[in-house]
């Protein structure tokens, strides 16, 4: 009897160039093992194949009559077994267990798949005997027959639309007809449930890539490797690559001090990326939608790999005082390219924030607006105490000056003193680059005002001067 190996490790269900009955046979195989051998039930991912399914049929013909399928059996076994474990006899709607020597009826929910298999085999035998040329292979010829059968079923549903004047045989269904065909099982349908051209199961397709269409059973059988996902915001179906995803916050965050060098920073980022995640990949929204609470970290080496971050993983993030920039907890702490930290209060500020500034050349930060204002108030207090000492008896003002000195102790620690060599901890911007307009601190600003240039602009200026001198020398 003729036989086809429908599913095997060499012929996985996901192979679009495989036999057209592979999805129907897969559903039958999964149901049989689920009932009689649950430990070897096929996984939900159709790429993982450890079973072999063979479809065998026999043909009979009366005198001058049409060809008939006298026997149709699906043989099932594991790829590690040599003998058949289960026989699915379609004509009797029974499952025969060859090991336990038992026989049970097939579940009713398999009836649509079994009917499709029977109809296909019958059409294949009839159409194959009607042609005089030899097809390249049974699979390629079978796919052509199955496509034709689906088109015929679709047009049959369309032609049965009832109108007020009777039956409209020229109608095309509705304005949505046809949605196309499932690229796996090739069924053709309309997405409108009210259209007579629609069928069960329904077909869904990508809102952006219209040729990516699948029926729901085929989509569910793809498991974790589904080719379509539903956007939770607009409820439209999209390709996974068009839907944002959160890969999960690292479970283990390095308990290290703030990165002080590039090597230190890279070590922290690698440790975070290689850590286990608090949850598996979680899908967000499509490119046209934005879910509430989902954010994107601007860190170039962030553990999120430039993907969006779900609300569960954004809880430890930090936002600038101007509310314009947000970063995850790891990048906010260790990536110095995102925030400028106030040397006194350590609050983070984004680069475009007006609350703080820093030197273009040495990147030292100034005090933030609040800390600078406090320093100004303390300086005024010290000046008042000095004026008081000049106008009145020094002993009367000693106590007030002492109180002011206590309040300004932390300011004195942050001020550069040329006599005792104490290093300045925050920058005081004293000049402006004449090239790009960026500010430089008192340490980096040259003595002559005409030379105020940041490092980049100064290099370019020197190059232009050298070229000009070389031109006139020649």
């Amino acid at each position: 009897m003729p036989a086809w190996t429908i599913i095997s490790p060499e012929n996985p269900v996901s192979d679009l160039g495989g036999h057209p009955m592979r999805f129907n046979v897969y559903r039958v195989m999964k149901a049989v093992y689920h009932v009689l051998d649950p430990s070897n039930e096929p996984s939900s991912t159709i790429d993982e194949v450890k079973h072999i399914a063979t479809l065998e049929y026999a043909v009979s013909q009366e005198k001058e009559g049409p060809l008939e399928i006298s026997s149709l059996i699906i043989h099932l076994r594991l790829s590690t077994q040599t003998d058949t474990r289960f026989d699915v006899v379609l004509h009797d709607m029974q499952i025969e267990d060859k090991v336990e020597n038992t026989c049970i009826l097939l579940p009713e929910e398999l009836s649509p798949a079994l009917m499709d298999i029977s109809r296909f085999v019958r059409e294949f035998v009839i159409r194959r005997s009607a042609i005089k040329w030899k097809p390249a292979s049974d699979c390629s010829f079978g796919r052509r027959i199955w496509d034709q059968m689906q088109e015929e079923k679709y047009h049959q549903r369309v032609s049965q639309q009832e109108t007020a004047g009777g039956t409209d045989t020229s109608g095309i269904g509705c304005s949505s007809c046809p949605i196309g065909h499932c690229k796996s099982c090739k069924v053709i349908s309309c997405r409108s449930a009210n259209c007579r051209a629609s069928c069960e199961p329904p077909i869904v397709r990508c809102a952006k890539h219209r040729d990516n269409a699948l029926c729901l059973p085929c989509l569910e059988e793809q498991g974790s490797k589904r080719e379509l996902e539903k956007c939770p915001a607009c409820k439209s179906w999209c390709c996974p690559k068009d839907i944002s995803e959160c890969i999960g916050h690292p479970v283990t965050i390095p308990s290290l001090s703030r990165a002080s060098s590039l090597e230190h920073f890279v070590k922290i980022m690698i440790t975070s990326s290689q850590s286990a995640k608090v949850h598996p990949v979680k899908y967000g929204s499509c490119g046209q939608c934005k879910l509430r609470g989902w954010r994107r970290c601007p860190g170039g080496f962030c553990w999120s790999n430039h993907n969006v971050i779900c609300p569960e993983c954004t809880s430890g993030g930090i936002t600038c005082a101007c509310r314009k920039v947000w970063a995850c907890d790891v990048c906010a702490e260790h990536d110095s390219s995102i925030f400028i930290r106030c040397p006194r209060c350590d609050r983070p500020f984004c680069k475009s924030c007006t609350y703080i500034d820093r030197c273009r050349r040495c990147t030292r930060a100034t005090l933030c607006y609040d800390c600078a204002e406090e320093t100004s108030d303390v300086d005024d207090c010290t000046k008042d105490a000095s004026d008081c000492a000049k106008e009145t008896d020094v002993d009367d003002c000693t106590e007030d000056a002492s109180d002011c000195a206590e309040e300004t102790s932390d300011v004195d620690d942050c001020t550069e003193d040329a006599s005792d060599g104490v290093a300045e901890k925050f920058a005081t911007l004293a000049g402006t680059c004449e090239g790009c307009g960026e500010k430089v601190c008192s340490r980096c600003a040259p003595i002559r005002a005409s030379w105020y240039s940041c490092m980049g602009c100064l290099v370019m200026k020197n190059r232009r001067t050298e070229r000009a001198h070389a031109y006139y020398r020649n």
Side-chain angles (χ1 to χ4, degrees), residues 407-437:
E407 295 176 1
T408 61
S409 61
D410 55 345
V411 179
D412 294 338
D413 292 339
C414 299
T415 307
E416 184 174 21
D417 193 327
S419 60
D420 58 11
V422 177
E424 183 182 66
K425 294 183 180 179
F426 62 86
T428 301
L429 301 184
T432 303
C433 173
E434 62 181 2
C436 61

Side-chain angles (χ1 to χ4, degrees), residues 179-190:
I179 186 177
H181 62 269
C182 171
K183 67 179 187 180
S184 292
C185 66
K186 304 304 180 181
V187 64
I188 303 176
S189 179
C190 175

Side-chain angles (χ1 to χ4, degrees), residues 69-85:
I69 307 300
S70 59
S71 174
L72 186 57
I73 303 174
I74 301 176
H75 304 290
L76 304 175
R77 63 181 174 89
L78 295 176
S79 58
T80 56
Q81 297 173 335
T82 56
D83 297 328
T84 299
R85 172 65 194 275

Side-chain angles (χ1 to χ4, degrees), residues 88-157:
V88 180
V89 184
L90 275 70
H91 284 184
D92 298 333
M93 295 294 287
Q94 291 182 343
I95 306 172
E96 296 179 0
D97 190 334
K98 296 297 185 179
V99 175
E100 300 295 336
N101 197 24
T102 58
C103 184
I104 64 171
L105 293 176
L106 281 164
E108 293 184 2
E109 59 267 21
L110 292 179
S111 296
L114 297 174
M115 289 178 64
D116 281 342
I117 295 173
S118 299
R119 290 169 182 167
F120 168 78
V121 174
R122 183 175 184 276
E123 288 295 323
F124 178 88
V125 171
I126 293 175
R127 301 190 189 195
R128 179 67 179 84
S129 61
I131 61 173
K132 296 181 179 180
W133 50 275
K134 184 178 180 180
S137 67
D138 283 353
C139 278
S140 60
F141 186 68
R143 288 195 298 271
R144 177 186 297 185
I145 292 177
W146 184 243
D147 289 345
Q148 293 173 354
M149 291 175 63
Q150 296 307 311
E151 291 179 6
E152 292 169 1
K153 288 171 63 176
Y154 168 75
H155 290 295
Q156 183 180 7
R157 292 194 301 271

Side-chain angles (χ1 to χ4, degrees), residues 255-276:
S255 57
L256 302 174
S257 59
R258 187 171 298 161
S260 56
S261 65
L262 179 60
E263 292 77 11
H264 189 189
F265 170 70
V266 171
K267 179 181 179 181
I268 293 173
M269 293 295 106
I270 291 177
T271 304
S272 300
S273 300
Q274 294 177 347
S275 169

